[in-house]
Each structure stands twice: as structure tokens, then as C-alpha cells.
Amino acid sequence: MSDSAPVLTIDGPGGAGKGTISRLVAARLGWHLLDSGALYRLTALAAVKHEVPLDDEPALARIAASLDVVFLAEGESATVLLEGQDATTAIRTEQVGDAASRVAALPAVRQALLQRQRDFRKAPGLVADGRDMGTVVFTDAPLKIFLTASAEERARRRHLQLREAGVDASLSSLLKEIQARDARDMQRSVAPLKPAIDAITLDTTRLTIPEVVDRLTELLTERGLASAT
Ligand code: DC
């Protein structure tokens, strides 16, 4: 029965606004939320904590398979516990993001996280945010979105976000990091970042967050997956 719950997949490169958009759409519809990137980040954080090298694939896959993680609240302010400790902010650092990108390139790690991700699919529906939600994890999702924005715009958004948090970072180095991470995510041999053939691509470079949320809600309504709000 849970298999038939509708899924909206939102894939795309980092910084395109997937996290914020997914959270807002899930909240508006009252659907569940899967932040799949958090699972890769948690795997990386657990590996660092247990001093497992980031290229030891079998050990990393074991960590991914036995990840002791609890998502306390869905929606607006999700808190995540790793081995009983609050890891909400620790998984958001650039270092953990970088380690997550390396860990995510390993096929055994992706395989170990597959069922855990599918278990999030429950009534009344799921918004799944990631890189391979539409191409691998939920191939039968009735609506697949590929959210993009230019690398320059994504660097600008990240810069703004960091400045608001009181962190001084150079725009040009952020742009370089974003381009390097994109290249790694797109060129890896397993589940590379690309739109599913049946995905709708939405470029958010010139769109505001409410405009994107409205557009996605419209698409869901048009397909009979949600009622007009
Ligand atoms: O979206 P994010 O920045 O939290 O993702 C962290 C890393 O995990 C990023 O390098 C891409 C990778 N990832 C992935 O390979 N597949 C997913 N479904 C989600 C994230």
C-alpha cells in the first residue's frame, strides 16, 4: 500500500534551492520529506567520527547500512540525531559536504542507502530531494522535477547565506567549489547527476522561492496529485 503513495522527486545540483523548495512544498501539502543528501552527509560524518578512511568502500558501506539516525521533526526545523547526538549543524559544514560527495561516489554506499530512502514513501505522499531520486530511487514517481540555476547564481546565493551567518568567503572560491562538486556529481559512474528522461527541468536562476513553490503545486494539481490550495 505504501508503495502507491505519490512521490514528487526534486533532483538537481547543490545550491539550486532544492532543500528550501522541498521543505516548503512538503509543508504545504502535508507530505513527508526525504532529504537524501543528509543521509550521505551523515555517512560521511559517522566515517570521520569512527576514523574510517573516505576511500574504504566496504567499511563505508557498513557504516551506511547500520547508520543510527533519527529525523526528529519533518518540515520546517528538522533535527537529526546521529548515534543519539544532535548532528543538525555538524552535517552542514563545507568539509562534511565535500566528504559526502566523495562517499556518494561509491556504489556500495549508494546500494546500502537505497532501501532506507524508499522507506520514506508513505501516505499521503513524499517529497524526495536529492540527485538520483527520479533516475534511481523512485523511478515510478508521478512527477519528477530537475531544479537548476546557473553556477554563478548558486555561488551568489551561497555567499549571501554565509554572510548572513557571519562567515566571510570569497565569491570566486565558492564558484570554483560549486563547479568542482558539480563535475564530481555529474561524472561519477554510479547514479550520476542528470535529469530523468521524464523529468521537467525548472531553471530557478530568475525565479523567487514562492514562484517555484507555486509552480510545483500547480504541476501536482494538474496531475491530480494534490488539490488546489
Ligand atoms: O544535497 P547535499 O549537498 O546535502 O548532498 C551532499 C552530497 O551527497 C552531494 O555531493 C551529492 C550527494 N548526494 C547524492 O549523491 N545523491 C543524493 N540522492 C543526494 C546527495
Side-chain angles (χ1 to χ4, degrees), residues 7-229:
V7 184
L8 163 63
T9 60
I10 304 186
D11 290 308
K18 285 177 295 151
T20 308
I21 303 291
S22 301
R23 214 171 48 237
L24 291 171
V25 173
R28 189 186 278 189
L29 300 173
W31 283 15
H32 301 280
L33 179 66
L34 166 61
D35 172 2
S36 61
L39 292 174
Y40 290 97
R41 287 172 181 268
L42 286 158
T43 302
L45 185 62
V48 170
K49 214 167 134 181
H50 296 292
E51 299 180 355
V52 170
L54 294 178
D55 56 357
D56 184 343
E57 187 167 357
L60 291 166
R62 279 195 297 276
I63 287 195
S66 60
L67 211 53
D68 171 9
V69 47
V70 180
F71 290 94
L72 272 188
E74 289 186 2
E76 286 302 315
S77 57
T79 297
V80 57
L81 301 182
L82 176 64
E83 295 164 13
Q85 287 180 336
D86 191 343
T88 317
T89 50
I91 59 166
R92 296 294 154 202
T93 65
E94 288 297 310
Q95 291 93 317
V96 172
D98 193 66
S101 165
R102 291 166 198 281
V103 160
L106 304 171
V109 170
R110 305 198 70 88
Q111 182 60 35
L113 291 176
L114 201 52
Q115 193 55 46
R116 192 185 285 258
Q117 295 175 81
R118 290 185 174 147
D119 289 343
F120 278 77
R121 185 175 195 168
K122 289 190 197 113
L126 174 69
V127 180
D129 157 8
R131 303 292 193 289
D132 63 341
M133 300 295 97
T135 50
V136 176
V137 183
F138 302 107
T139 49
D140 63 337
L143 181 59
K144 299 179 183 178
I145 301 294
F146 194 78
L147 216 59
T148 61
S150 68
E152 288 73 16
E153 173 64 14
R154 289 184 283 131
R156 199 189 61 79
R157 291 177 188 171
R158 181 76 185 134
H159 190 240
L160 211 64
Q161 224 177 29
L162 287 172
R163 233 184 23 205
E164 278 165 10
V167 181
D168 199 19
S170 103
L171 194 57
S172 62
S173 65
L174 283 174
L175 179 59
K176 278 205 198 98
E177 277 166 32
I178 282 178
Q179 287 167 332
R181 183 133 357 135
D182 282 358
R184 193 156 54 216
D185 289 344
M186 288 189 289
Q187 285 159 15
R188 67 178 177 224
S189 57
V190 55
L193 173 64
K194 61 165 192 241
I197 42 172
D198 50 348
I200 296 174
T201 296
L202 202 58
D203 186 334
T204 71
T205 306
R206 290 188 179 76
L207 295 177
T208 64
I209 289 167
E211 282 170 342
V212 179
V213 172
D214 284 348
R215 181 72 192 119
L216 296 189
T217 313
E218 258 169 44
L219 285 167
L220 285 163
T221 307
E222 275 168 27
R223 293 181 183 212
L225 299 167
S227 49
T229 46

